[in-house]
Amino acid sequence: MRSLRELMGRPVRPAPVETDGLTPPAPSLRVRDIFTRFWPDARPFRVWLGLSLTLVVVAPLLDTATIWLFKLLIDDVLTVHSLSAFPPIAITYLAITVVLGVVEFTDDYLTAWIGESFLHRLRTRVFTHLQTLSAGFFDTRPLGDTLSRLTGDLSAIENLVLSGVTGIAAQVVKIGLFAGVLFYLSWQLTSVSLIAVPICWLTARFFSRRIKVASREVRRRGGSINAMAEESLGNTLLIQVYNRQQAEITRFTEQSRRSVTAELAATRLRAMFSPLVNLLEVAGVMVVIGMGVWELTSNRITLGGLLVFLAYLSQLYSPARGLGQLSTTVYAAAAGAERVIDLLDQQPDVRAPTHPVPLPHPHGTISLDQVGFRYPGATTDALNEISFTVEPGHSLALVGTSGAGKTTLTKLLLRLHDPSTGAVRLDGIDARDLDPHQLRATMSAVLQETLLLDGTIAENILAGRPDATQAELVTAATAADAHEFIIALPEGYDTRVGQRGRLLSGGQRQRIAIARAMIRNTPVLILDEPTTGLDTAAGERILTPLRRLMTGRTTIVISHDLATVTEVDQIIHLDHGRIIDTGTHSQLLARNGDYARLYRTHRRRPHRATEVSAPA
Ligand code: ADP
């Protein structure tokens, strides 16, 4: 039976550590730390933030003036029945409204511009960071969860760092302004009405903590849904072949239901907050009205004065309530920000040296010296005491049963991981002392899982060397035996290959990969089971272009298809991560040991590839 990995044409990721399908929690952080962490991203916008803050101050000033006009209206026009005092009040009122409109528009637009620009910066920063992480990181993290951190959780940071700051500043300004006017109108009434403020503050504190916990759960659940959907939709072939649709629907439904429960729990808290504050507010207003009537009867305040006092008071309560609500928003946003910080704190396993050794003209000598390797978290070594040298232009084959460590070895050559012991050297220089970009620029890889991007055929081949000319493109495709099938396609080189190249056959994908390696023209070539997944005819079809590609390059080829490795200069037989035999094909056969047995087993099943051909 063909392995799942082959069936899916993509590696099967080890199951992430999770409990009931839930992604692991991000470490909890204080809001202040989150803020300090992201403030540098907001720094370039500080001038605009300042302007936005100014507008935020102007708006409540204008509000204050409008309410004051009402006092004048009641005391100077309505109470004394004077029409002549009305026109200036009316004109001022209209003028203020126009100015307020302009201020609000500018503020809305400015806020959106700052917010979006900030998000853009942050998004690209996180994405850039993800690009530096080692391939191993993505093996252990559900991709869907990472995506949900890059989108939803990232937006939450904007709520915290920008809207949070301007929001709090605006509310504080309003509170100061209205409290000032209230004191001016009647300090006795004001003192009474401010009693509600500390109670509101305590209520907000009580809720914000709980809301943060609930929001963290909502974010995690959101990430889990994405992770589950990505895993399931990315494996549709497996799911359909094994009739697992219903099981997947049940799994998804369960995740979705849990997300609903978490969201409702958070909403209950948020929704409870508002009526509670309302109640406090109304109670405060009642006390003030009672006191106000008493002040009115003893002529210490006018009717207009009392009415605008109440109007200002309601203006004071609204920012106070806003401040409380904002603290809950900020805490909810913190839960998302924690998940982004968790991503940003991941360090790549493979680091570039501070002073890389230059390698201007690589010859392509590959040598391994007592290399051992253990995957992070594994209990046994994947490789042990591996030593060999391949001279420039020579070829070496790694053979052995599945799990022997062949793929791991190519990962070390490409420096996707560093060896735990020993050293991998290129032209005698330890790979760790070279700039990883330069190291990889000396190598081309044709892997069993052909990596194609969702672009045109030309784009995929040119990914090997983007500055190649059209003529070089055609030469490479011809050498890879791909030109003919490409020009037979409706749009030739401009045909799109679909996601992961799904619109092409396995053999066609592999020939594109060979063309890409041809055009890249590097001294070192790594072939990881290039014929895997192809039927016998397609497998044989790519042997000729592969031989052309290997000519003059240091080649390391992995294969369990021993027919493809008989011509190499040196064969290394791996078993359980150790070298058990080495020599040329004829030397190894003559020894009549494990290799000969492996070879005979293989020869007895010449049509292995057809026997396991993919349904596609
Ligand atoms: P081969 O290519 O010869 O089939 P591999 O190099 O893929 O073998 O695997 C060698 C060993 O390392 C196996 O025991 C495998 O289970 C283990 N292994 C491979 N990839 C990982 C990984 N990402 N994490 C932990 N162990 C791994």
Side-chain angles (χ1 to χ4, degrees), residues 213-241:
V213 174
S215 306
R216 206 177 273 153
E217 187 66 8
V218 169
R219 298 265 164 205
R220 263 178 92 190
R221 293 289 175 192
S224 304
I225 288 195
N226 265 11
M228 208 246 113
E230 188 270 337
E231 190 199 323
S232 184
L233 299 178
N235 282 318
T236 40
L237 188 57
L238 173 70
I239 286 158
Q240 290 180 8
V241 170

mmCIF file of all heavy atoms in Angstrom, residues 213-241:
data_model
loop_
_atom_site.group_PDB
_atom_site.id
_atom_site.type_symbol
_atom_site.label_atom_id
_atom_site.label_comp_id
_atom_site.label_asym_id
_atom_site.label_seq_id
_atom_site.Cartn_x
_atom_site.Cartn_y
_atom_site.Cartn_z
ATOM 1 N N VAL A 213 -10.001 36.672 30.349
ATOM 2 C CA VAL A 213 -9.953 35.202 30.374
ATOM 3 C C VAL A 213 -10.900 34.642 29.314
ATOM 4 O O VAL A 213 -10.535 33.770 28.516
ATOM 5 C CB VAL A 213 -10.330 34.681 31.775
ATOM 6 C CG1 VAL A 213 -10.432 33.168 31.778
ATOM 7 C CG2 VAL A 213 -9.308 35.154 32.786
ATOM 8 N N ALA A 214 -12.122 35.188 29.277
ATOM 9 C CA ALA A 214 -13.109 34.680 28.322
ATOM 10 C C ALA A 214 -12.655 34.937 26.891
ATOM 11 O O ALA A 214 -12.811 34.075 26.016
ATOM 12 C CB ALA A 214 -14.462 35.336 28.574
ATOM 13 N N SER A 215 -12.054 36.107 26.643
ATOM 14 C CA SER A 215 -11.630 36.436 25.280
ATOM 15 C C SER A 215 -10.490 35.545 24.826
ATOM 16 O O SER A 215 -10.388 35.184 23.664
ATOM 17 C CB SER A 215 -11.150 37.874 25.193
ATOM 18 O OG SER A 215 -12.130 38.724 25.677
ATOM 19 N N ARG A 216 -9.627 35.195 25.780
ATOM 20 C CA ARG A 216 -8.519 34.312 25.444
ATOM 21 C C ARG A 216 -9.075 32.987 24.913
ATOM 22 O O ARG A 216 -8.595 32.448 23.934
ATOM 23 C CB ARG A 216 -7.719 34.060 26.712
ATOM 24 C CG ARG A 216 -6.293 33.711 26.460
ATOM 25 C CD ARG A 216 -5.572 33.553 27.753
ATOM 26 N NE ARG A 216 -5.049 34.812 28.250
ATOM 27 C CZ ARG A 216 -4.848 35.050 29.539
ATOM 28 N NH1 ARG A 216 -5.177 34.157 30.441
ATOM 29 N NH2 ARG A 216 -4.345 36.192 29.921
ATOM 30 N N GLU A 217 -10.113 32.522 25.580
ATOM 31 C CA GLU A 217 -10.753 31.275 25.172
ATOM 32 C C GLU A 217 -11.358 31.430 23.765
ATOM 33 O O GLU A 217 -11.209 30.552 22.922
ATOM 34 C CB GLU A 217 -11.845 30.923 26.200
ATOM 35 C CG GLU A 217 -12.496 29.584 26.028
ATOM 36 C CD GLU A 217 -11.555 28.408 26.267
ATOM 37 O OE1 GLU A 217 -10.412 28.627 26.727
ATOM 38 O OE2 GLU A 217 -11.971 27.270 25.957
ATOM 39 N N VAL A 218 -12.007 32.583 23.526
ATOM 40 C CA VAL A 218 -12.615 32.819 22.204
ATOM 41 C C VAL A 218 -11.542 32.774 21.118
ATOM 42 O O VAL A 218 -11.706 32.130 20.083
ATOM 43 C CB VAL A 218 -13.331 34.196 22.181
ATOM 44 C CG1 VAL A 218 -13.724 34.582 20.765
ATOM 45 C CG2 VAL A 218 -14.542 34.179 23.088
ATOM 46 N N ARG A 219 -10.415 33.422 21.370
ATOM 47 C CA ARG A 219 -9.335 33.459 20.379
ATOM 48 C C ARG A 219 -8.785 32.065 20.106
ATOM 49 O O ARG A 219 -8.531 31.688 18.973
ATOM 50 C CB ARG A 219 -8.185 34.329 20.890
ATOM 51 C CG ARG A 219 -8.590 35.744 21.099
ATOM 52 C CD ARG A 219 -8.256 36.542 19.872
ATOM 53 N NE ARG A 219 -8.951 37.805 19.884
ATOM 54 C CZ ARG A 219 -9.236 38.489 18.803
ATOM 55 N NH1 ARG A 219 -8.931 38.022 17.625
ATOM 56 N NH2 ARG A 219 -9.861 39.633 18.880
ATOM 57 N N ARG A 220 -8.578 31.310 21.171
ATOM 58 C CA ARG A 220 -8.038 29.954 21.004
ATOM 59 C C ARG A 220 -8.994 29.099 20.201
ATOM 60 O O ARG A 220 -8.597 28.355 19.323
ATOM 61 C CB ARG A 220 -7.865 29.302 22.374
ATOM 62 C CG ARG A 220 -6.481 29.403 22.925
ATOM 63 C CD ARG A 220 -6.458 28.776 24.275
ATOM 64 N NE ARG A 220 -6.102 27.383 24.217
ATOM 65 C CZ ARG A 220 -6.204 26.567 25.262
ATOM 66 N NH1 ARG A 220 -6.668 27.002 26.404
ATOM 67 N NH2 ARG A 220 -5.850 25.314 25.158
ATOM 68 N N ARG A 221 -10.279 29.228 20.525
ATOM 69 C CA ARG A 221 -11.279 28.430 19.805
ATOM 70 C C ARG A 221 -11.311 28.808 18.334
ATOM 71 O O ARG A 221 -11.447 27.961 17.464
ATOM 72 C CB ARG A 221 -12.667 28.630 20.423
ATOM 73 C CG ARG A 221 -12.797 28.065 21.815
ATOM 74 C CD ARG A 221 -12.799 26.566 21.774
ATOM 75 N NE ARG A 221 -12.804 25.999 23.108
ATOM 76 C CZ ARG A 221 -12.586 24.720 23.352
ATOM 77 N NH1 ARG A 221 -12.332 23.881 22.373
ATOM 78 N NH2 ARG A 221 -12.591 24.270 24.571
ATOM 79 N N GLY A 222 -11.185 30.120 18.072
ATOM 80 C CA GLY A 222 -11.157 30.587 16.679
ATOM 81 C C GLY A 222 -9.982 29.964 15.949
ATOM 82 O O GLY A 222 -10.114 29.475 14.830
ATOM 83 N N GLY A 223 -8.828 29.953 16.603
ATOM 84 C CA GLY A 223 -7.623 29.366 16.007
ATOM 85 C C GLY A 223 -7.821 27.889 15.738
ATOM 86 O O GLY A 223 -7.428 27.366 14.699
ATOM 87 N N SER A 224 -8.488 27.202 16.673
ATOM 88 C CA SER A 224 -8.698 25.766 16.512
ATOM 89 C C SER A 224 -9.620 25.464 15.335
ATOM 90 O O SER A 224 -9.393 24.511 14.602
ATOM 91 C CB SER A 224 -9.310 25.176 17.779
ATOM 92 O OG SER A 224 -8.482 25.469 18.862
ATOM 93 N N ILE A 225 -10.659 26.283 15.163
ATOM 94 C CA ILE A 225 -11.559 26.063 14.022
ATOM 95 C C ILE A 225 -10.760 26.192 12.733
ATOM 96 O O ILE A 225 -10.841 25.343 11.842
ATOM 97 C CB ILE A 225 -12.696 27.116 14.000
ATOM 98 C CG1 ILE A 225 -13.684 26.855 15.121
ATOM 99 C CG2 ILE A 225 -13.413 27.104 12.656
ATOM 100 C CD1 ILE A 225 -14.979 27.603 14.948
ATOM 101 N N ASN A 226 -9.971 27.254 12.636
ATOM 102 C CA ASN A 226 -9.167 27.470 11.434
ATOM 103 C C ASN A 226 -8.213 26.316 11.200
ATOM 104 O O ASN A 226 -8.047 25.852 10.078
ATOM 105 C CB ASN A 226 -8.344 28.743 11.594
ATOM 106 C CG ASN A 226 -9.043 29.914 10.977
ATOM 107 O OD1 ASN A 226 -10.211 29.810 10.626
ATOM 108 N ND2 ASN A 226 -8.348 31.007 10.845
ATOM 109 N N ALA A 227 -7.565 25.864 12.284
ATOM 110 C CA ALA A 227 -6.603 24.781 12.154
ATOM 111 C C ALA A 227 -7.291 23.521 11.646
ATOM 112 O O ALA A 227 -6.803 22.841 10.749
ATOM 113 C CB ALA A 227 -5.943 24.518 13.495
ATOM 114 N N MET A 228 -8.464 23.246 12.226
ATOM 115 C CA MET A 228 -9.178 22.030 11.836
ATOM 116 C C MET A 228 -9.625 22.122 10.380
ATOM 117 O O MET A 228 -9.465 21.188 9.600
ATOM 118 C CB MET A 228 -10.396 21.873 12.761
ATOM 119 C CG MET A 228 -10.826 20.466 12.952
ATOM 120 S SD MET A 228 -12.443 20.212 12.230
ATOM 121 C CE MET A 228 -12.094 19.129 10.900
ATOM 122 N N ALA A 229 -10.162 23.292 9.999
ATOM 123 C CA ALA A 229 -10.660 23.463 8.630
ATOM 124 C C ALA A 229 -9.507 23.355 7.638
ATOM 125 O O ALA A 229 -9.625 22.694 6.608
ATOM 126 C CB ALA A 229 -11.345 24.811 8.482
ATOM 127 N N GLU A 230 -8.378 23.953 7.972
ATOM 128 C CA GLU A 230 -7.237 23.926 7.056
ATOM 129 C C GLU A 230 -6.741 22.500 6.863
ATOM 130 O O GLU A 230 -6.494 22.049 5.755
ATOM 131 C CB GLU A 230 -6.113 24.801 7.626
ATOM 132 C CG GLU A 230 -4.937 25.007 6.684
ATOM 133 C CD GLU A 230 -3.854 23.949 6.825
ATOM 134 O OE1 GLU A 230 -3.759 23.318 7.901
ATOM 135 O OE2 GLU A 230 -3.121 23.737 5.871
ATOM 136 N N GLU A 231 -6.652 21.776 7.979
ATOM 137 C CA GLU A 231 -6.157 20.408 7.917
ATOM 138 C C GLU A 231 -7.092 19.543 7.086
ATOM 139 O O GLU A 231 -6.682 18.761 6.249
ATOM 140 C CB GLU A 231 -6.074 19.885 9.348
ATOM 141 C CG GLU A 231 -5.372 18.569 9.489
ATOM 142 C CD GLU A 231 -5.731 17.922 10.810
ATOM 143 O OE1 GLU A 231 -5.878 18.663 11.803
ATOM 144 O OE2 GLU A 231 -5.912 16.698 10.831
ATOM 145 N N SER A 232 -8.409 19.758 7.317
ATOM 146 C CA SER A 232 -9.400 18.933 6.647
ATOM 147 C C SER A 232 -9.499 19.278 5.160
ATOM 148 O O SER A 232 -9.457 18.409 4.301
ATOM 149 C CB SER A 232 -10.742 19.134 7.338
ATOM 150 O OG SER A 232 -11.681 18.303 6.773
ATOM 151 N N LEU A 233 -9.600 20.578 4.847
ATOM 152 C CA LEU A 233 -9.764 20.977 3.446
ATOM 153 C C LEU A 233 -8.468 20.771 2.659
ATOM 154 O O LEU A 233 -8.503 20.581 1.449
ATOM 155 C CB LEU A 233 -10.217 22.436 3.357
ATOM 156 C CG LEU A 233 -11.560 22.713 4.040
ATOM 157 C CD1 LEU A 233 -11.917 24.184 3.952
ATOM 158 C CD2 LEU A 233 -12.662 21.868 3.421
ATOM 159 N N GLY A 234 -7.334 20.779 3.356
ATOM 160 C CA GLY A 234 -6.069 20.535 2.670
ATOM 161 C C GLY A 234 -5.870 19.054 2.372
ATOM 162 O O GLY A 234 -4.951 18.670 1.664
ATOM 163 N N ASN A 235 -6.709 18.217 2.953
ATOM 164 C CA ASN A 235 -6.564 16.768 2.775
ATOM 165 C C ASN A 235 -7.813 16.143 2.166
ATOM 166 O O ASN A 235 -8.177 15.024 2.503
ATOM 167 C CB ASN A 235 -6.293 16.101 4.124
ATOM 168 C CG ASN A 235 -4.854 16.285 4.553
ATOM 169 O OD1 ASN A 235 -3.954 16.161 3.740
ATOM 170 N ND2 ASN A 235 -4.646 16.602 5.808
ATOM 171 N N THR A 236 -8.483 16.887 1.280
ATOM 172 C CA THR A 236 -9.767 16.406 0.749
ATOM 173 C C THR A 236 -9.643 15.041 0.082
ATOM 174 O O THR A 236 -10.539 14.210 0.187
ATOM 175 C CB THR A 236 -10.346 17.390 -0.276
ATOM 176 O OG1 THR A 236 -9.289 17.874 -1.059
ATOM 177 C CG2 THR A 236 -11.059 18.531 0.404
ATOM 178 N N LEU A 237 -8.497 14.822 -0.574
ATOM 179 C CA LEU A 237 -8.321 13.561 -1.295
ATOM 180 C C LEU A 237 -8.381 12.385 -0.321
ATOM 181 O O LEU A 237 -9.145 11.436 -0.498
ATOM 182 C CB LEU A 237 -6.977 13.602 -2.018
ATOM 183 C CG LEU A 237 -6.698 12.455 -2.976
ATOM 184 C CD1 LEU A 237 -7.802 12.384 -4.013
ATOM 185 C CD2 LEU A 237 -5.354 12.670 -3.651
ATOM 186 N N LEU A 238 -7.604 12.493 0.744
ATOM 187 C CA LEU A 238 -7.568 11.435 1.754
ATOM 188 C C LEU A 238 -8.964 11.218 2.342
ATOM 189 O O LEU A 238 -9.423 10.089 2.486
ATOM 190 C CB LEU A 238 -6.596 11.848 2.863
ATOM 191 C CG LEU A 238 -6.550 10.947 4.088
ATOM 192 C CD1 LEU A 238 -5.910 9.622 3.750
ATOM 193 C CD2 LEU A 238 -5.789 11.610 5.226
ATOM 194 N N ILE A 239 -9.632 12.323 2.638
ATOM 195 C CA ILE A 239 -10.936 12.247 3.294
ATOM 196 C C ILE A 239 -11.970 11.582 2.398
ATOM 197 O O ILE A 239 -12.741 10.733 2.817
ATOM 198 C CB ILE A 239 -11.361 13.660 3.742
ATOM 199 C CG1 ILE A 239 -10.521 14.030 4.959
ATOM 200 C CG2 ILE A 239 -12.841 13.728 4.092
ATOM 201 C CD1 ILE A 239 -10.416 15.487 5.196
ATOM 202 N N GLN A 240 -11.928 11.917 1.103
ATOM 203 C CA GLN A 240 -12.903 11.308 0.205
ATOM 204 C C GLN A 240 -12.579 9.839 -0.055
ATOM 205 O O GLN A 240 -13.465 9.000 -0.054
ATOM 206 C CB GLN A 240 -12.979 12.108 -1.087
ATOM 207 C CG GLN A 240 -13.643 13.446 -0.799
ATOM 208 C CD GLN A 240 -13.772 14.331 -2.023
ATOM 209 O OE1 GLN A 240 -13.501 13.905 -3.129
ATOM 210 N NE2 GLN A 240 -14.186 15.565 -1.800
ATOM 211 N N VAL A 241 -11.281 9.555 -0.242
ATOM 212 C CA VAL A 241 -10.899 8.175 -0.530
ATOM 213 C C VAL A 241 -11.280 7.253 0.636
ATOM 214 O O VAL A 241 -11.731 6.137 0.444
ATOM 215 C CB VAL A 241 -9.382 8.092 -0.825
ATOM 216 C CG1 VAL A 241 -8.919 6.651 -0.882
ATOM 217 C CG2 VAL A 241 -9.073 8.790 -2.137
#
